[in-house]
Amino acid sequence: MSSEIRVTVDGVVHPVQPGISAGELLRQFANGTRPVAARVNGKVVDLSRPVSEDATIEPVSADSAEGLEILRHSTAHLMAQAVQSLYPGTQVTIGPTIEDGFYYDFAPPRPFTVEDLPKIESKMRELVKADLKVERVEMGREEAIALFDSMHEQYKVEIIRGIPEERVSLYRQGDWIDLCRGPHVPSTRYLKAFKLTSVAGAYWRGDERNAMLSRIYGTAFPSREALEEHLRLLEMARARDHRKLGREMGLFFFDPIAPGSPFFLPKGAIIYNQLIEYVRRLYRRYGFEEVITPQIFKNQLWRTSGHWDMFREHMFLTTDGENPAGELDYGVKPMNCPSHAVMYRSDKRSYRDLPIRLADFGRLHRAERSGTLHGLTRVRAMAQDDAHIFCTPEQIAGEIDLNLRMVREVYEALGFGNIELKLGTMPDKHLGSEEEWRKREEVLAGAMRRNGFDFELNPGEGAFYGPKIEIYVPDALKRKWQVATIQLDFNMPERFDLEYTTSASTQARPVMIHRAVLGTLERFIGVLLEHTGGVLPFWLAPEQVRVLSLSEKVEDYAREAAELISRTGFRASADLRNEKLGFKVREAELARIPYMAVVGEREAASRMVSLRRLRGDKNQPLTLDALLELLKAEPLPC
RNA sequence: GCCGAUGUAGCUCAACGGUAGAGCAACUGACUUGUAAUCAGUAGGUUGCCAGUUCAACUCUGGCCAUCGGCUCCA
């Protein structure tokens, strides 16, 4: 009959009968582990999967990345089962795992609300207690289509129709069954620690022309403790939400009178302007020239640039009131590039002039859809550390290098060790041949490799006029926001008929590179606040030193000390209120002021301060001169 | 824009068909202070806006606005 096969578990070879399940083998030979799945010859499969040939078998524990994903995916199934038993007539669609959890999209008779979640959770717990076996079932495509059709699961039918394979796998638990590739945990009792977190609308297949489905988000962990820890971290992340910090630190606010448009208070404006000053210093080193351009242009400009067709729905249109028809014949700029093209065109250019690097902190306005606005990270009024480089085709690589070096310098200086680079490649709607595109994409990819950056592809996410490098930074809740960008543009020079005279006295078309390093300043400040929890580097702190007086007796000295510090060029104030020191310290700590200089009668007599650092050392006695030296030694990023 | 939720004093929240209340902040006074909240008093609101139901609406209904979580879009 069947001869024995050789399975390797934990480095030991065992002869066994073929057909025995991976789970059974692990139970026998890998004692003490409690896997959720098995890895057979490198492939992760159900524990129930029979092993029919020589194999190396390893346990996949719930703590591993793959195990956790299986756990969450199985929890998504559990949730779908609970939902369908509680809300008859609800169709299932898809339910993938995501970073930190999972979701499942349903087509219910009425959309779910958060009030439904506790009910669903308790149903899920019931199903866990029932210890339902999770079984893999394979069947032919047509058979599966007939099955789901009989269950009135039209979305599943649509999904299977899109699957090329002839056989598909389904998973059954109790009387519930779902199309799924798997693998899954062997039984519902493996799912102990889960929580449903939120509901949301989501379009079928992510297309807003399709039906709006009802999505439920949740998360699952191997243990109660791990789940609690996760929820605790989420709570802490919410404490460093930039919208909350902005209010607490008195940096900015929003008013319904200008949706999506932040008001920067004096302290917020200091951060804003310090960042601009920083970038200006960099510009001097990197060879950029700052310009100032108009805010409002006749629509003719947008027709020429292509924004009229591509971006008009996001533009604020206006008029000077002089045209008799009352037509909106002007547009407020959403981007700086067209005016820079106009500036380039304002003079005859030679190859000797190139590259020309025009930088512009001009204010931009974009009519973002109301539902997309989000604190400082998604606004309608903004400024970028924007620049456009006009260069010859030969100069492209060097210019990309220059900007990548600048990106590296800035993000290192500001303590972002977690930037992510992506290469946005040719979109469906594009100008130019595929061959040209691949060449240009390779130029960007090569530059990133040359500069030692890892990057991922973002397929089809390039601009219609050229590929782009996108740089992302996460916020406190790990949501990624694009900040810096470097984009090649072969279209705008064409549209504006830009030219330069070559060394052979012929006319040639320059290439345009759109780039921003901080990106949108509003967004950058938002992620910077979340990244730092509001504890900004000294040079960015709106208030750098606060002198705290101990009593009225030292008021004059405290005032004098603060004035001296201010005169020396630092942002300082004195807190002379009739309050206890602990109270003033607390307020200064909450305001995230880097240095607190405490002065009492002792200090006044010796012209000293007792220095306290934000969230750091205290009671450091210093003379006023020593304090000034210490402040002067605080580093600028450049 | 779409789905769901929320909107009460400057901030954080309570009350819930019978003309709104706390803590902090503000203001006044006392205290004269040693490294994350001294005490007392005063003032502050057409409960986001507009309609409707009702003898009576912060509370119920509808519309609008804004915000939050997502989707779509995107820096």
Side-chain angles (χ1 to χ4, degrees):
Chain A
M1 277 293 297
S2 60
S3 53
E4 287 183 336
I5 57 170
R6 298 154 60 80
V7 301
T8 309
V9 179
D10 224 357
V12 182
V13 180
H14 306 274
V16 299
Q17 290 298 313
I20 187 166
S21 77
E24 182 55 34
L25 291 168
L26 286 172
R27 197 153 37 244
Q28 285 183 23
F29 305 126
N31 226 341
T33 60
R34 201 177 133 75
V36 292
R39 192 193 311 275
V40 177
N41 287 334
K43 194 167 168 251
V44 180
V45 299
D46 296 315
L47 288 172
S48 60
R49 179 69 68 92
V51 180
S52 52
E53 56 186 28
D54 291 358
T56 301
I57 304 179
E58 302 157 85
V60 174
S61 92
D63 298 318
S64 69
E66 285 154 317
L68 191 59
E69 197 167 322
I70 289 168
L71 196 74
R72 287 172 175 166
H73 196 180
S74 294
T75 309
H77 273 222
L78 181 70
M79 175 174 81
Q81 183 182 11
V83 163
Q84 289 202 305
S85 94
L86 288 169
Y87 306 92
T90 299
Q91 290 191 63
V92 290
T93 68
I94 56 162
T97 58
I98 50 173
E99 194 176 350
D100 287 341
F102 61 86
Y103 67 79
Y104 209 117
D105 285 348
F106 301 97
R110 62 147 182 100
F112 297 119
T113 76
V114 280
E115 270 94 66
D116 296 319
L117 298 186
K119 207 167 137 196
I120 298 169
E121 275 182 356
S122 61
K123 187 73 188 174
M124 288 167 72
R125 278 190 288 273
E126 242 175 71
L127 295 168
V128 168
K129 216 172 271 171
D131 191 14
L132 301 173
K133 231 190 182 65
V134 180
E135 296 169 290
R136 181 185 175 93
V137 183
E138 289 191 19
M139 61 177 73
R141 251 166 56 91
E142 293 309 318
E143 197 187 340
I145 289 174
L147 173 68
F148 283 111
D149 197 46
S150 74
M151 292 159 65
H152 307 290
E153 294 285 1
Q154 293 317 308
Y155 290 93
K156 285 292 176 190
V157 171
E158 192 179 328
I159 292 168
I160 301 172
R161 286 197 203 283
I163 295 178
E165 283 82 31
E166 266 320 300
R167 291 190 70 74
V168 297
S169 63
L170 288 74
Y171 280 80
R172 183 199 306 281
Q173 51 200 57
D175 57 359
W176 188 81
I177 193 160
D178 191 11
L179 175 77
C180 188
R181 196 175 284 124
H184 280 285
V185 298
S187 142
T188 55
R189 100 187 125 79
Y190 278 70
L191 311 172
K192 290 254 156 71
F194 53 79
K195 179 158 184 63
L196 304 185
T197 48
S198 61
V199 294
Y203 300 104
W204 168 236
R205 302 217 143 134
D207 189 328
E208 64 180 329
R209 287 166 305 192
N210 289 341
M212 172 69 71
L213 304 171
S214 194
R215 173 176 297 181
I216 303 179
Y217 284 92
T219 190
F221 284 87
S223 67
R224 271 271 140 211
E225 298 72 53
L227 175 63
E228 294 300 328
E229 173 68 7
H230 173 73
L231 297 176
R232 207 179 55 81
L233 287 175
L234 277 184
E235 204 50 53
M236 280 168 60
R238 275 190 268 275
R240 53 166 65 195
D241 185 316
H242 74 274
R243 294 165 294 194
K244 188 170 147 76
L245 289 174
R247 196 167 41 239
E248 287 172 359
M249 295 171 70
L251 303 178
F252 57 85
F253 67 93
F254 288 88
D255 188 287
I257 208 65
S261 308
F263 291 68
F264 281 90
L265 294 158
K267 286 182 176 183
I270 287 171
I271 299 174
Y272 204 107
N273 286 322
Q274 286 299 316
L275 284 171
I276 288 178
E277 281 311 314
Y278 168 47
V279 172
R280 283 199 172 116
R281 291 194 296 273
L282 289 170
Y283 280 163
R284 287 197 279 276
R285 279 195 4 237
Y286 283 86
F288 288 78
E289 302 173 284
E290 188 176 342
V291 298
I292 297 170
T293 51
Q295 197 69 40
I296 299 170
F297 300 82
K298 290 192 174 176
N299 289 341
Q300 182 55 47
L301 180 78
W302 312 116
R303 292 203 176 87
T304 304
S305 70
H307 286 86
W308 194 251
D309 292 327
M310 305 298 293
F311 211 75
R312 182 163 39 139
E313 55 176 327
H314 292 302
M315 284 178 62
F316 289 102
L317 298 178
T318 184
T319 174
D320 62 5
E322 285 187 7
N323 82 71
E327 176 195 346
L328 297 174
D329 49 356
Y330 285 80
V332 182
K333 68 178 170 186
M335 298 181 189
N336 289 310
C337 28
S339 41
H340 292 175
V342 170
M343 195 172 262
Y344 179 93
R345 204 176 53 182
S346 69
D347 201 355
K348 188 86 178 148
R349 308 292 180 177
S350 137
Y351 74 97
R352 294 170 185 274
D353 300 325
L354 303 184
I356 292 173
R357 308 190 186 99
L358 301 180
D360 198 330
F361 295 102
R363 289 209 73 72
L364 309 174
H365 293 81
R366 299 182 187 175
E368 300 295 349
R369 296 162 92 177
S370 55
T372 65
L373 302 175
H374 183 95
L376 286 184
T377 46
R378 181 114 181 127
V379 294
R380 283 178 168 170
M382 74 209 85
Q384 304 175 320
D385 63 331
D386 196 14
H388 293 92
I389 298 167
F390 300 87
C391 66
T392 69
E394 296 72 38
Q395 289 170 331
I396 294 174
E399 292 303 305
I400 304 297
D401 278 349
L402 180 88
N403 284 289
L404 283 175
R405 285 204 303 277
M406 193 165 162
V407 165
R408 155 156 302 132
E409 176 174 350
V410 166
Y411 286 86
E412 276 180 5
L414 294 173
F416 284 98
N418 48 356
I419 61 173
E420 278 179 28
L421 276 71
K422 290 190 179 174
L423 174 60
T425 60
M426 188 177 78
D428 292 339
K429 276 174 71 181
H430 61 269
L431 297 164
S433 72
E434 183 163 353
E435 194 194 338
E436 284 174 309
W437 269 85
R438 297 307 165 212
K439 246 168 59 193
R440 292 162 184 173
E441 286 164 13
E442 189 43 43
V443 169
L444 295 184
M448 287 190 276
R449 287 191 213 103
R450 247 194 331 276
N451 285 279
F453 284 111
D454 288 332
F455 65 94
E456 287 171 30
L457 289 183
N458 208 353
E461 291 301 314
F464 70 95
Y465 48 73
K468 60 183 180 186
I469 294 173
E470 305 163 334
I471 290 116
Y472 293 83
V473 174
D475 69 11
L477 288 170
K478 297 191 201 167
R479 293 176 293 211
K480 308 249 176 23
W481 298 94
Q482 190 187 320
V483 279
T485 181
I486 304 173
Q487 310 181 6
L488 292 183
D489 186 350
F490 298 84
N491 179 242
M492 193 87 63
E494 191 80 35
R495 287 175 163 274
F496 282 89
D497 195 24
L498 304 184
E499 294 185 323
Y500 64 92
T501 308
T502 67
S503 57
S505 283
T506 56
Q507 294 303 303
R509 187 82 75 206
V511 178
M512 207 169 158
I513 300 171
H514 308 243
R515 43 104 298 162
V517 174
L518 300 179
T520 296
L521 290 161
E522 283 73 6
R523 172 177 290 183
F524 189 84
I525 289 171
V527 294
L528 180 65
L529 285 172
E530 303 208 359
H531 186 74
T532 58
V535 182
L536 297 168
F538 182 77
W539 64 279
L540 274 176
E543 192 177 343
Q544 296 172 306
V545 187
R546 187 178 290 181
V547 180
L548 310 181
S549 64
L550 264 161
S551 75
E552 269 173 14
K553 295 183 198 112
V554 294
E555 205 181 297
D556 288 343
Y557 175 65
R559 194 181 285 117
E560 187 196 333
E563 270 167 23
L564 176 64
I565 297 164
S566 297
R567 263 206 316 281
T568 313
F570 300 99
R571 297 183 288 275
S573 71
D575 185 349
L576 306 174
R577 293 174 303 172
N578 283 337
E579 297 290 351
K580 295 203 161 176
L581 183 59
F583 179 84
K584 296 184 182 184
V585 165
R586 178 182 154 80
E587 291 210 340
E589 286 276 345
L590 288 176
R592 279 107 168 148
I593 296 164
Y595 291 108
M596 286 155 260
V598 175
V599 300
E601 291 182 75
R602 265 202 315 268
E603 286 78 14
S606 53
R607 299 194 61 76
M608 295 180 78
V609 300
S610 168
L611 192 69
R612 177 187 170 111
R613 288 167 206 260
L614 176 60
R615 291 170 190 190
D617 300 342
K618 52 190 177 185
N619 298 323
Q620 180 188 3
L622 278 180
T623 63
L624 283 178
D625 284 344
L627 172 64
L628 293 178
E629 287 313 308
L630 185 144
L631 297 177
K632 284 181 200 159
E634 277 286 349
L636 274 180
C638 82

